[in-house]
Amino acid sequence: MIWRRARYEAAGRVVGPVIASLDAWQRRRGRRGRGPRGGPFGPPLESVAKLKELMTVHYYQGRYADGAVPVAWVTSGFPVEVLRPLGFHTVYPENHAAMCGVQRLVPGLSDAVEAQGYSRDLCSYVRTDLGSVVTGRTPVGRLPRPDLLACCTNICQTVLYWYRALAAHFGVPLVLVDTPYVYGPEAKPHQLAYVRDQLEELVRVAEKVSGRRAEPEALAEVARLAKEGTDLWAECLATGRERPAPWTGIDGFFHMAPIVALRGTEECNAYYRLLRDELKDRVRRGIGGLREERHRLLWDNLPIWFAVREVATLLAERGFNFVCTSYTNAWAEAGSRIDPSDLIGSAADSYTHIILNQDLPNRLGILRRLARDYGVDGAVLHSDRSCKPYSIGQVDLRDRLAAELGIRVLLLEADHSDPRAWASQQGENRLTAFMESFG
Amino acid sequence: MSGAAGLGVDVGSTTCKAVAVDRAGRILAWRVEPTHPRIEPQVTRLLGALREEAGDAPVGATGYGRKRVPSGRALTEITCHARGAFARTGAAGLLVDMGGQDTKVIRMGPAGEVLDFAMNDKCAAGTGRFLEVILGRLQVPFAEVADQAARAERAVAVSSTCTVFAESEVISLVADGAPLEGIVKGLHQALAARVAALARGATGPGEVFMSGGVALNAAMVGALREALGRPVRVLPEPQLVGALGAALSVVPGAA
Ligand code: SF4
């Protein structure tokens, strides 16, 4: 145990950073002469190097986590703040699956679980994660075995069945935080009380698994960090309101990794301070995410991870930039209700009110607000074959947004990580026709 | 002056269309051929023939092969169909274009601009290809389709619009002794229902116009009229509407 713990610490503090900087050095060398990014895009963000380092170290350290510290696998919308003070190393299967998506590993991983009888109609994150568990294939070397599975239904019901399958596979406890769906602007007090009760029970289970006690000061400190991180991320996103926006929507998709996977830690916040300062500096100097920003768009739903660049480049070539996305914005809102003086109560409130747990009028309200705040003249609603809760209602959202705001709206059918559900030619055709309609 | 003001090519998945138009949007010459896998030589040949007949002019290109058209200005079929249709109608409305491998519904504004569009999703369900495959299977020649459908006492329901599943469904209907005419009619109804569902995603005022090769099939036009519950006006030379729009896109001052 002591040896494993030492190895885990060394992986995070020494070896991981060395590997990350070696990696960065190789990337710089490989890129020399070709010039960075280029094309229709503005100069790349300098912070990217730090982002890569942060995530490399996190995943590298993760390889040595089991046996050294308690390990929890958690859903993206889980109130992770409760687990941090107990020393859990957290793994986000969704974040890991997104990485697999970017690297186009999903068809292979999915085939492995489809062969076991899982349907291709399941969310591709589920298929990717279970496929990775079954085959051991992962782009990060190794994922640590969980001691605890932590699942919150505020993003979808699918996660429940997914985590049950994981619980059966690993034979470890599963804690479920069930968040009632919010109809109307605010959840009812009895609904919040119900979530709160579950969070209190979560603390007890997590204490048992970790063998530690959740001290109130430690909980308050993590809550403070999580709230600060959320606010910093919100500040980063808000720079997109400027003209030109200092970065692109795709930058946002990649830079969200820390707020998803490292929320409630000082490393996460330090990173976003760096990013925020750089973005504000670009705004001051008039540096845009695109060389020439002619049209500003809103993106709804998850990105198409395996085609993010393809889509962004096609648009950027004609001066279209995604200046805001409802997806990256979700992480600027989730933690905003966190209150360090009452972590449990405020986490119940916060995590019940995330975008996917709210009804259609609320979602329309969020899109409308984003469209206005960021001054967009069009929107692309990604109808994601995998993510039903995010995609349902988009036909109505499209009609409403177009009618109420007088903007052009395109419904684009794809999948966030399974390239088999994306017809590149047709997708390109639709996006091009959409751009042509701006005249 | 009767020389060409613009040449337009529409390289579709099934057929390749080329037109030469004058300043007023009148078609001076045209060609339609099955699309050849090697697009560039084919397009060069077709354009050469048009130039000989109507004179040289700038080229506008559309369709899936638009990027393979040498020195053509490339625009999507959606934009070109709307432009071509507007040149014919001069009115706002809903354009249903049914081609070989895609079907699109385009809502056009009063100036012929694209307000909104919807397309079939990633497969041949709801396209001309669907009819082609199944009718081929039933050995009904294209020339007889409309008559057969008109002769049917009642339609035999075909529930699938997936080309692959419908093929096996139709085979078993035939095996069960269902009348051929009824099946032909049922096929058109199934397809029309699918297109009508797509059209609901792009609703709006104005007439319903139809273009694309499938518009030459009277049975399909009838089925669509029934499914939409609105009159459907087939544009003149429906197959050429996309190429016409492409040609007009390079004529300065044209609609
Ligand atoms: S269905 Fe949507 S919310 Fe649920 S895991 Fe998949 S992507 Fe996430």
Side-chain angles (χ1 to χ4, degrees):
Chain A
M1 175 77 183
I2 292 171
W3 151 239
R4 280 177 185 254
R5 181 63 198 247
R7 196 173 56 167
Y8 173 74
E9 295 298 340
R13 289 171 208 266
V14 190
V15 189
V18 169
I19 290 180
S21 52
L22 251 160
D23 237 37
W25 180 71
Q26 273 172 344
R27 262 198 307 274
R28 276 200 303 274
R29 261 173 59 106
R31 200 193 267 156
R32 238 199 349 231
R34 272 193 291 136
R37 208 146 77 156
F41 296 103
L45 288 160
E46 310 247 319
S47 316
V48 169
K50 187 72 199 157
L51 171 72
K52 289 202 169 127
E53 182 191 319
L54 187 64
M55 297 315 290
T56 305
V57 171
H58 172 66
Y59 275 104
Y60 183 76
Q61 188 178 32
R63 294 188 200 183
Y64 304 102
D66 35 352
V69 289
V71 174
W73 286 23
V74 293
T75 56
S76 61
F78 193 84
V80 69
E81 292 79 0
V82 178
L83 300 178
R84 295 238 185 270
L86 297 166
F88 278 93
H89 178 94
T90 51
V91 172
Y92 280 81
E94 289 154 72
N95 178 250
H96 174 252
M99 289 169 69
C100 297
V102 172
Q103 301 189 21
R104 291 189 170 243
L105 301 174
V106 174
L109 296 173
S110 181
D111 281 347
V113 284
E114 281 172 45
Q116 296 194 342
Y118 288 93
S119 162
R120 195 183 279 194
D121 289 328
L122 275 171
C123 169
S124 49
Y125 275 171
V126 181
R127 288 179 279 127
T128 304
D129 180 53
L130 296 178
S132 177
V133 166
V134 172
T135 61
R137 284 206 300 269
T138 159
V140 300
R142 177 175 179 275
L143 286 177
R145 239 186 98 85
D147 301 300
L148 178 70
L149 294 161
C151 165
C152 182
T153 58
N154 55 358
I155 50 172
C156 64
Q157 292 298 312
T158 303
V159 288
L160 169 59
Y161 300 95
W162 172 7
Y163 275 59
R164 273 188 185 155
L166 288 174
H169 178 87
F170 288 112
V172 297
L174 162 65
V175 278
L176 169 71
V177 175
D178 177 40
T179 47
Y181 196 71
V182 180
Y183 293 97
E186 289 287 322
K188 309 276 177 298
H190 71 271
Q191 295 178 316
L192 294 179
Y194 167 66
V195 177
R196 192 195 169 106
D197 283 353
Q198 296 173 72
L199 293 186
E200 270 155 10
E201 194 185 332
L202 160 69
V203 174
R204 288 191 292 275
V205 176
E207 282 180 336
K208 214 161 156 189
V209 172
S210 66
R212 288 212 209 169
R213 269 191 54 76
E215 301 301 341
E217 311 77 60
L219 284 173
E221 174 59 8
V222 171
R224 188 191 64 73
L225 286 169
K227 183 164 171 46
E228 189 193 4
T230 303
D231 294 344
L232 283 163
W233 175 238
E235 261 191 274
C236 293
L237 292 180
T239 61
R241 298 179 189 185
E242 305 291 339
R243 286 169 195 261
W247 59 343
T248 69
I250 41 166
D251 293 320
F253 287 140
F254 289 107
H255 288 267
M256 69 190 282
I259 194 66
V260 176
L262 299 170
R263 193 169 62 252
T265 67
E266 177 46 37
E267 299 105 282
C268 167
N269 297 3
Y271 177 67
Y272 286 125
R273 272 181 228 115
L274 183 83
L275 177 64
R276 174 203 58 193
D277 293 346
E278 184 181 2
L279 288 169
K280 290 200 164 167
D281 181 55
R282 283 169 74 109
V283 168
R284 265 194 300 278
R285 298 198 282 146
I287 300 176
L290 302 192
R291 278 182 201 285
E292 198 201 339
E293 177 185 292
R294 294 176 46 220
H295 294 286
R296 299 161 63 82
L297 301 177
L298 159 77
W299 176 275
D300 182 47
N301 215 324
L302 278 76
I304 308 172
W305 286 116
F306 53 87
V308 163
R309 214 153 271 290
E310 172 186 333
V311 168
T313 307
L314 180 74
L315 287 143
E317 277 163 355
R318 291 173 184 239
F320 287 75
N321 190 13
F322 289 108
V323 294
C324 57
T325 86
S326 63
Y327 187 55
T328 47
N329 179 66
W331 273 270
E333 297 194 341
S336 61
R337 296 179 185 224
I338 292 278
D339 172 5
S341 69
D342 175 21
L343 172 62
I344 302 294
S346 62
D349 185 18
S350 206
Y351 284 95
T352 301
H353 286 99
I354 78 149
I355 183 170
L356 288 184
N357 204 44
Q358 301 202 36
D359 66 3
L360 213 54
N362 270 311
R363 270 173 58 200
L364 176 64
I366 292 173
L367 294 181
R368 206 193 275 131
R369 178 158 48 76
L370 285 174
R372 288 202 177 122
D373 289 353
Y374 287 77
V376 305
D377 36 12
V380 176
L381 311 183
H382 166 205
S383 172
D384 181 348
R385 185 163 165 63
S386 272
C387 192
K388 284 85 178 172
Y390 216 144
S391 307
I392 200 157
Q394 277 178 322
V395 172
D396 291 312
L397 291 176
R398 175 192 64 186
D399 294 348
R400 292 288 200 89
L401 284 175
E404 289 178 19
L405 303 177
I407 60 173
R408 294 182 189 281
V409 190
L410 176 75
L411 209 58
L412 183 69
E413 282 132 13
D415 188 276
H416 60 255
S417 62
D418 193 340
R420 294 171 301 188
W422 164 247
S424 175
Q425 263 284 315
Q426 269 138 325
E428 181 190 326
N429 213 28
R430 271 168 228 217
L431 285 163
T432 308
F434 174 65
M435 292 189 285
E436 285 170 359
S437 74
F438 283 73
Chain B
M1 247 267 321
S2 63
L7 304 178
V9 197
D10 177 0
V11 188
S13 55
T14 314
T15 52
C16 181
K17 285 81 63 175
V19 302
V21 297
D22 67 9
R23 215 156 275 290
R26 277 186 302 256
I27 293 179
L28 304 175
W30 58 274
R31 296 283 187 282
V32 177
E33 285 184 0
T35 303
H36 194 274
R38 293 187 53 223
I39 293 168
E40 281 169 62
Q42 179 179 31
V43 168
T44 308
R45 182 171 48 74
L46 287 175
L47 285 173
L50 290 184
R51 284 191 181 109
E52 221 156 83
E53 218 175 307
D56 197 11
V59 179
T62 189
Y64 277 109
R66 62 182 178 272
K67 288 184 199 152
R68 306 243 74 84
V69 175
S71 66
R73 175 186 182 207
L75 285 170
T76 59
E77 306 88 286
I78 292 130
T79 303
C80 288
H81 271 89
R83 195 162 281 179
F86 188 71
R88 289 285 176 255
T89 64
L94 201 66
L95 175 68
V96 178
D97 174 75
M98 292 186 71
Q101 274 183 23
D102 62 42
T103 290
K104 36 194 169 291
V105 179
I106 305 168
R107 191 157 60 91
M108 300 181 296
E113 75 277 22
V114 176
L115 295 178
D116 199 359
F117 63 91
M119 291 171 84
N120 66 297
D121 184 27
K122 297 180 204 99
C123 78
T127 70
R129 188 83 192 142
F130 167 84
L131 281 180
E132 200 182 309
V133 169
I134 316 280
L135 293 173
R137 189 77 194 185
L138 294 172
Q139 297 181 3
V140 177
F142 182 75
E144 289 170 25
V145 171
D147 280 352
Q148 291 240 8
R151 272 206 308 274
E153 275 173 32
R154 55 179 190 85
V156 174
V158 177
S159 54
S160 183
T161 46
C162 162
T163 308
V164 177
F165 288 160
E167 195 175 348
S168 45
E169 188 179 342
V170 162
I171 292 166
S172 50
L173 285 172
V174 173
D176 288 348
L180 191 63
E181 294 86 358
I183 298 178
V184 171
K185 184 163 183 173
L187 276 171
H188 286 82
Q189 283 186 351
L191 189 51
R194 164 99 198 171
V195 177
L198 206 61
R200 262 192 286 280
T203 49
E207 273 184 83
V208 179
F209 307 111
M210 194 174 172
S211 66
V214 181
L216 296 167
N217 171 354
M220 193 59 231
V221 180
L224 192 61
R225 189 185 308 125
E226 271 175 40
L228 292 173
R230 292 167 75 176
V232 173
R233 184 157 79 151
V234 177
L235 296 177
E237 289 116 8
Q239 259 190 302
L240 301 181
V241 172
L244 171 65
L248 291 172
S249 77
V250 292
V251 178

